[in-house]
């Protein structure tokens, strides 16, 4: 049998079949992330109406069957005949790829959305979708099933001639997505961000699923200034005012809001037409350039920085900064299909010019604020210099001693990182059991003594001086910050193994905070895991079972019968297990349970806020967070 490859083997996918055949090309993935992206695409269209000045209300509802309704009070999708297609414009929008008001022709000056394919892609990946449009006193309706039109656009009633808008309801296709259950919090975080970025708009999210009923509205007249205040709520602001710069240059509308706080981390988020750009781009470069130049000029002119002192670096000035950069641009050019990085060169100049001018004016008008920022930056500069010396000393020692691995690391013999894994274990007793239990070829053990430094509350010099953190950095091999090199990673699985109690959870959080702040690429690329030790050991008639939570325990008890011959042991810590038990339950690749730590870059501002809430100094936001999330905790030892 021969595999022919000729003209007739080239497939032509009609209409939206291409989307159904390769959904990942259009929405990134068919996981939860892609599922939620469907909602963002329809909401993006409503936000485009708001950006154009025609919409100020958006309503999103999750129905009991996980279908979604999005209602807006914009102009309504056009219902007239599109002469090129010979179909009503609304039908073209939902059934033809690359059709919409976003490709010139005066529909929208600026817009977000997935390259103009949003509505049709949502339609293609839904079991059914219905659109209703209120326009010029009539209500129009059309239904589609898996992207196919079910009937011609029809009038189903009358509406107030002064009230226009669109209503889109869709049910994601369960043959396309891994799971079609929407997460309220994921939608809430993204819709809140959209509301911050579009000042004046009110977005309401409503969940009507039984047992999950809740509703939240987002409305921020202050826009991104309020966004900065929200992100800084778990920190102590260095000064009261949120610095705000706004202007238009070369047809690019620029908005920047920023405020320093008492932390040591830079939390800068950039957006183009309300789309997050996790990899930054030209707008971020323009902002950073303006910031560094303006503060150095101010510090020199006002003798806060002496002539013989080195200039402040961008890192020094951005220590403890929370900033939002939002640009609206008619023809955004993104590097890569994922829209993660802006490429327009004119955006750099526009942001640089507007921020330089307005920030200079702000600093001159507010000398006390300017002085506070410069003093914090000078402290950061000194700490960074101390950290550099500590780092250089470490490098020199390494070169002289010709060994870079910490003494307490029990390394594995295999040198291929793809086969190797390292267990970060709390305490010497658990570390001893793990060293005995492990497979020496591929499993390395690094025991840590006590709780590691909370990097959320420490500068670089302190971090480099911490023995436990230094041990991890040298064991992983990648370096941190500007020295970080993923190709030097010595293990492709970094497994955090702590006790299944409150202290263990705290140590895991401290470790994850360190990795998130200093080696985020390890999490992004999927190298970080949490081990899941069992909570219970059940013995009966010389047979042994392990249960990882209460429900598993109840299930085992139901199967084996509850009587006096049952022996149930509740593990308080890893140290209670002998090496054989630790191997069988938590370390044997054939039987263990590992949870991979994942990071959704689209929600990076919320991830950041969670870490500062949990690990920062302010008690009240932490208490609120714990109260709101206590319902999700499965096991808690008090």
């Amino acid at each position: 049998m021969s595999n022919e490859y000729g003209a007739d083997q080239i497939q032509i996918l009609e209409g939206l079949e291409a989307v159904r055949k390769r959904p990942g090309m259009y929405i990134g993935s068919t996981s939860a992330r892609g599922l939620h992206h469907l909602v963002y695409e329809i909401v993006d269209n409503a936000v485009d109406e708001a950006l154009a000045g025609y919409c100020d209300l958006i309503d999103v509802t999750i129905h009991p069957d996980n279908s979604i309704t999005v209602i807006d009070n914009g102009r309504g999708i056009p219902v007239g005949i599109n002469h090129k297609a010979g179909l009503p414009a609304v039908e073209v929008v939902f059934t033809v790829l690359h059709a919409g008001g976003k490709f010139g022709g005066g529909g929208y000056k600026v817009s977000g959305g997935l390259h103009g394919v949003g509505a049709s892609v949502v339609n293609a990946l839904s079991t059914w979708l219905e659109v209703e449009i209120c326009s010029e006193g009539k209500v129009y309706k059309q239904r589609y099933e898996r992207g196919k039109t079910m009937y011609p656009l029809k009038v189903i009633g009358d509406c107030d001639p002064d009230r226009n808008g669109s209503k889109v309801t869709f049910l994601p296709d369960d043959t396309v997505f891994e799971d079609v259950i929407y997460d309220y919090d994921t939608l809430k975080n993204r819709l809140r961000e959209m509301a911050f970025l579009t000042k004046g708009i009110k977005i309401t999210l409503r969940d009507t699923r039984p047992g999950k009923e809740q509703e939240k509205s987002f409305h921020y007249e202050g826009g991104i200034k309020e966004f900065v205040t929200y992100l800084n709520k778990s920190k102590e602001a260095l000064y009261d005012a949120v610095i705000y710069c706004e202007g238009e240059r070369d047809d690019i509308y620029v908005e920047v809001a920023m405020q320093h706080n008492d932390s040591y981390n830079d939390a800068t988020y950039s957006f183009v037409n309300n789309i997050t750009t996790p990899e930054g781009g030209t707008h971020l470069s323009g902002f950073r350039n303006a910031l560094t130049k303006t503060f150095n000029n101010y510090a020199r002119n006002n003798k806060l920085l002496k002539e013989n002192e080195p200039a402040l670096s961008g890192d020094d000035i951005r220590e403890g900064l929370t900033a939002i950069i939002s640009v609206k641009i008619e023809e955004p050019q993104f590097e890569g299909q994922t829209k993660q990085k802006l490429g327009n060169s004119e955006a750099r100049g526009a942001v640089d010019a507007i921020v330089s001018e307005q920030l200079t004016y702000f600093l001159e008008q507010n000398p006390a604020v300017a002085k506070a920022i410069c003093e914090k930056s000078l402290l950061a500069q000194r700490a960074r210099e101390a950290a550099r010396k500590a780092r250089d000393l470490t490098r020199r020692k390494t070169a002289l001693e010709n060994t870079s691995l910490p003494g307490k690391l029990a390394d594995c013999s295999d040198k291929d990182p793809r086969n190797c894994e390292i267990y970060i274990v709390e305490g010497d007793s658990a570390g001893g059991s793990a060293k005995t239990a492990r497979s020496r070829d591929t499993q390395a053990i690094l025991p840590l003594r006590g709780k590691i430094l909370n990097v959320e509350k420490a500068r670089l010099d302190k971090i480099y001086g911490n023995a436990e953190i230094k041990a991890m950095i040298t064991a992983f091999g990648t370096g941190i910050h500007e020295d970080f090199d993923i190709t030097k990673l010595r293990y492709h699985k970094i497994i955090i193994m702590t006790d299944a109690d409150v202290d263990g959870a705290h140590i895991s959080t401290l470790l994850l905070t360190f990795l998130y702040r200093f080696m985020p690429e390890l999490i992004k690329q999927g190298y970080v895991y949490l081990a899941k030790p069992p909570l219970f050991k059940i013995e009966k008639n010389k047979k042994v079972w392990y249960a990882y939570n209460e429900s598993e325990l109840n299930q085992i008890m139901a199967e084996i019968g509850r009587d006096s011959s049952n022996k149930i042991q509740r593990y308080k810590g890893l140290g209670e297990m002998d090496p054989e038990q630790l191997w069988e339950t938590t370390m044997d690749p054939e039987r263990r349970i590992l949870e991979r730590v994942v990071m959704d870059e689209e929600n990076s501002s919320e991830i950041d806020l969670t870490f500062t809430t949990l690990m920062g100094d302010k008690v009240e936001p932490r208490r609120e967070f714990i109260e709101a999330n206590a319902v999700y905790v499965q096991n808690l030892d008090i």
Side-chain angles (χ1 to χ4, degrees), residues 495-568:
I495 302 164
I496 296 170
M497 185 162 72
T498 59
D499 293 345
D501 62 8
V502 171
D503 279 344
H506 188 212
I507 291 164
S508 293
T509 310
L510 287 165
L511 288 166
L512 287 173
T513 306
F514 165 65
L515 293 173
Y516 172 69
R517 291 297 185 200
F518 291 91
M519 304 177 176
E521 211 53 40
L522 295 181
I523 300 174
K524 285 180 198 170
Q525 296 199 24
Y527 293 128
V528 180
Y529 296 80
L530 297 174
K532 209 165 160 36
L535 278 175
F536 303 98
K537 177 187 175 189
I538 305 104
E539 284 184 82
K540 183 173 185 174
N541 303 332
K542 296 190 177 173
K543 281 191 176 176
V544 174
W545 294 264
Y546 294 100
Y548 290 82
N549 52 44
E550 297 272 357
S551 63
E552 272 187 33
L553 172 68
N554 293 334
Q555 200 178 328
I556 292 165
M557 299 308 291
E559 284 171 17
I560 66 173
R562 294 173 190 269
D563 58 52
S564 57
S565 63
N566 295 340
K567 259 178 75 184
I568 301 172

Side-chain angles (χ1 to χ4, degrees), residues 35-43 58-71 122 126 128-131 167-172 180-184 187 191 204-209:
L35 178 77
H36 291 79
H37 219 115
L38 299 185
V39 183
Y40 310 152
E41 282 306 316
I42 300 298
V43 174
I58 300 173
D59 212 76
V60 181
T61 302
I62 312 169
H63 298 292
D65 62 352
N66 277 282
S67 63
I68 298 279
T69 294
V70 179
I71 300 172
V122 175
S126 296
W128 54 264
L129 182 148
E130 288 182 351
V131 58
K167 175 183 176 183
V168 177
T169 304
F170 64 92
L171 179 69
V180 291
I181 297 170
Y182 276 103
D183 179 64
Y184 181 87
L187 292 177
L191 296 179
T204 299
L205 174 64
R206 192 176 296 105
D207 195 341
T208 64
R209 292 171 295 187

Side-chain angles (χ1 to χ4, degrees), residues 195-200 220-228 255:
F196 277 129
L197 291 164
T198 317
K199 60 183 166 192
Y220 306 106
E221 286 297 342
I224 62 169
K225 285 168 74 174
E226 288 193 54
F227 199 173
V228 167
E255 261 193 301

Side-chain angles (χ1 to χ4, degrees), residues 334-351:
F334 294 97
E335 292 178 19
Q337 189 64 21
T338 52
K339 284 194 168 183
Q340 301 234 315
K341 190 172 186 181
L342 183 69
N344 298 62
S345 58
E346 65 273 24
R348 184 186 289 108
V351 177

